[in-house]
Amino acid sequence: MSGELLINVTPSETRVALIENGVLQEMHVERESKRGLVGNIYLGKIIRVLPGMQAAFVDINLEKAAFLHASDIHTRLMTNQESNEPEQVPDIRSLVHEGQNIVVQVVKDPLGTKGARLTTDITIASRYLVLMPNASHAGISQRIEDVAERVRLKNIVTPYCDDDHGFIVRTAADGAGEVELKHDAEFLRRLWTKVLERKQRKQTKAPIYQDLSLAFRVIRDFFGTDLERIRIDSKLAYQELEEFTAEFVPELGKVLEYYPGERPIFDMFDVEAEVQRALDRKIELKSGGYLIVDQTEAMTTIDINTGAFVGHRNLEETIFSTNVEATQAIARQLRLRNLGGIIIIDFIDMESEEHKRRVLHSLEVAMAKDKVKFSIHGFSSLGLVEMTRKRTRESLEHILCGECAACKGRGQLKTVETVSFEILREIVRVNRAYDADQFIVYASIPVSESLIDDEYHHLAELEVFIGKQIKVQTEPMYNQEQFDVVMM
């Protein structure tokens, strides 16, 4: 399988597209305004110690001083593993003093009048591992429940630990190979060496480690993947990535390229059009069938329909062919849209158990290309396929789209007729509650036209019923459901 990364960089946004065999498979988007401070490491200075609060304020060159509690200061004296008694937090004055330089990491962004929350228990994450410079052991994520897998992962990672480097194996490492874990461990150790070098320079103006931006994270996460080319359309970003790969992942330096073309980089593989299609509910299949994808708070549902595909044999073969084709499209859409959590797939009903088995196998093969952990649970008693896919980041829809101001996320608007009748009822309600001489109705263009034309006889009957004049005023800026009833 041939893979290529396209990286589009602008001052406000970075977008990364993974192309496999000429087709967009994954899309990653990061906006500069949404990047926080969590994960950044600073060489800070204690500017005030507050014994009553068991805390200290630390200057890390932000607008507000950051907050460091005594319980967030790492020290072996505070850990008593042999005792079941609660840990006793030492007096803050025995841990730090004013004017002291201290290496800290942001665990919570500044909020309102509060400064950032800090810890001295430093951790640096990669794709599969988390480095703990203050530890010397290997830990396994509790979410990896399989005992044999936990033992396998611990046996792989333990040799990389020493007195100054401990590791936690992340949930994403479930099923990861020895080579990938080795790459991650080496990457993190090299990264921590660079952090220590920057600490020795005693720089306080900028972070000594900043959580990687999208372009760097993608380079890190795809380390070990067979990529033919990585193209970047920003000269500055290319130079930064060139330095980064030379230091940490030299194996990727040979596939890194600067793209100077006049044609936008995302036009090369029709990426922009593919992203637009990934926001649609309906996905067309080559055979004429189609999928309907609905993302809700609780789950994602996918419905398959034959559409215009009538087949050349019997109905059962037509249904089977459509379902098999749909499995490839589903696997691609889950990756491209980054849909996670519970996923319910409503394949077209099949009578044959053999067909069901082959459709499930086709789905499993198509999903095998996905690096995100997933689980397929087969057909339920209702004929639905239930599966889960780990949530790794916001879905493409949640990043690129917001709630519709008109429908408030329902995906539907009340009809003109429904809104017209709501207005008539509102006039009656207001008339009973208040004393008015006449009413003016402000409504959208289609609703006001309906009241003046189609519903004119109802409006006239209401005027006679309440004995007051009703005027209709068009408000072009109103959406279809908006209206106001004003008393005069």
Side-chain angles (χ1 to χ4, degrees), residues 44-266:
K45 185 176 183 179
I46 305 291
I47 56 175
R48 192 177 179 191
V49 178
L50 306 172
M53 295 177 62
Q54 276 284 75
F57 284 113
V58 185
D59 179 16
I60 55 174
N61 204 40
L62 297 180
E63 187 178 341
K64 298 183 182 71
F67 182 84
L68 176 65
H69 192 267
S71 61
D72 292 319
I73 299 176
H74 179 85
T75 167
R76 299 183 190 276
L77 297 175
M78 291 170 59
T79 306
N80 185 359
Q81 297 179 343
E82 298 179 359
S83 174
N84 293 324
E85 297 179 4
E87 294 178 356
Q88 296 296 317
V89 180
D91 189 310
I92 186 72
R93 289 170 292 189
S94 68
L95 300 174
V96 296
H97 57 83
E98 289 186 14
Q100 176 183 345
N101 290 328
I102 187 169
V103 176
V104 289
Q105 186 171 36
V106 177
V107 292
K108 187 181 289 186
D109 283 320
L111 182 62
T113 58
K114 297 180 179 178
R117 180 77 182 255
L118 305 176
T119 182
T120 63
D121 194 7
I122 308 298
T123 58
I124 302 178
S126 66
R127 187 176 186 183
Y128 297 120
L129 302 176
V130 176
L131 172 68
M132 301 179 295
N134 294 321
S136 57
H137 64 278
I140 310 294
S141 167
Q142 305 244 347
R143 293 187 181 180
I144 300 177
E145 298 176 354
D146 185 83
V147 175
E149 179 65 4
R150 292 177 67 87
V151 171
R152 183 186 76 88
L153 291 170
K154 188 154 190 174
N155 289 339
I156 293 173
V157 175
T158 298
Y160 304 126
C161 300
D162 54 34
D163 291 342
D164 300 315
H165 301 88
F167 293 97
I168 295 174
V169 179
R170 303 178 68 181
T171 309
D174 191 356
E178 186 173 348
V179 174
E180 288 93 337
L181 294 170
K182 179 184 177 184
H183 285 327
D184 264 25
E186 292 174 348
F187 168 80
L188 288 172
R189 290 173 74 106
R190 287 198 294 260
L191 193 58
W192 181 243
T193 300
K194 295 295 178 184
V195 171
L196 293 178
E197 288 175 4
R198 290 169 190 160
K199 176 190 172 185
Q200 295 305 318
R201 298 176 201 155
K202 296 186 177 180
Q203 61 180 66
T204 56
K205 295 279 185 181
I208 56 177
Y209 168 78
Q210 189 168 15
D211 196 20
L212 300 176
S213 63
L214 175 62
F216 294 88
R217 287 201 310 273
V218 168
I219 294 289
R220 176 196 72 192
D221 292 348
F222 280 93
F223 179 40
T225 304
D226 185 20
L227 290 172
E228 288 186 348
R229 200 177 297 162
I230 302 172
R231 300 196 222 191
I232 307 103
D233 64 358
S234 164
K235 186 70 174 177
L236 178 61
Y238 168 73
Q239 291 169 347
E240 291 174 346
L241 285 174
E242 200 174 31
E243 292 177 10
F244 178 79
T245 53
E247 274 191 301
F248 300 111
V249 279
E251 297 86 346
L252 289 179
K254 60 186 177 183
V255 299
L256 204 62
E257 290 182 13
Y258 169 57
Y259 175 76
E262 294 182 4
R263 185 185 178 195
I265 191 170
F266 273 15

Side-chain angles (χ1 to χ4, degrees), residues 295-300 340-343 391:
Q295 184 182 354
T296 68
E297 194 72 26
M299 66 183 72
T300 298
I342 300 171
I343 299 161
R391 296 184 192 274

